[in-house]
Amino acid sequence: MSEVHHHSHKKLYIIIFFALAILTVVEIIIPELDIAYYLKASSLVGLALGKAFLVAYFYMHLNEETKWMKWIAAVPCSAFLFAAVLIAESMFR
């Protein structure tokens, strides 16, 4: 019988936790800034996408998946980006 060695991800999870906490603090600060609305909105959406990527990539273990599974996960992200571009284009008409 082959033995499976478990590699601890504790240090990585703590680093990602603090990265998510910092991004959350930045998300709380952005609405209070005196900048244009579209800059606030786009930066908040960007931060949310970044946080979603960190959670999916590390906590949901996409970094350990096959290429095919990574492509399957990328399809909804590309659909969101396409929708975001369409919405932004319609806002600036």
Side-chain angles (χ1 to χ4, degrees):
M1 221 181 210
S2 67
E3 291 186 30
V4 177
H5 295 283
H6 176 56
H7 177 68
S8 175
H9 295 97
K10 185 177 180 179
K11 182 179 177 181
L12 178 65
Y13 289 163
I14 292 171
I15 291 169
I16 299 302
F17 172 79
F18 283 111
L20 290 169
I22 290 168
L23 291 174
T24 301
V25 169
V26 172
E27 281 183 336
I28 293 170
I29 292 171
I30 286 176
E32 303 300 324
L33 297 176
D34 189 26
I35 58 176
Y37 175 77
Y38 73 92
L39 289 175
K40 288 181 187 180
S42 60
S43 60
L44 288 172
V45 168
L47 286 170
L49 287 173
K51 287 170 57 176
F53 171 78
L54 286 175
V55 169
Y57 197 72
F58 292 105
Y59 290 134
M60 296 174 68
H61 304 288
L62 280 179
N63 59 343
E64 298 171 4
E65 290 294 339
T66 62
K67 265 188 171 179
W68 179 244
M69 286 299 289
K70 289 178 185 179
W71 277 104
I72 289 173
V75 169
C77 293
S78 62
F80 170 79
L81 288 175
F82 180 71
V85 168
L86 287 177
I87 292 169
E89 189 265 336
S90 69
M91 285 175 43
F92 291 107
R93 279 193 176 189

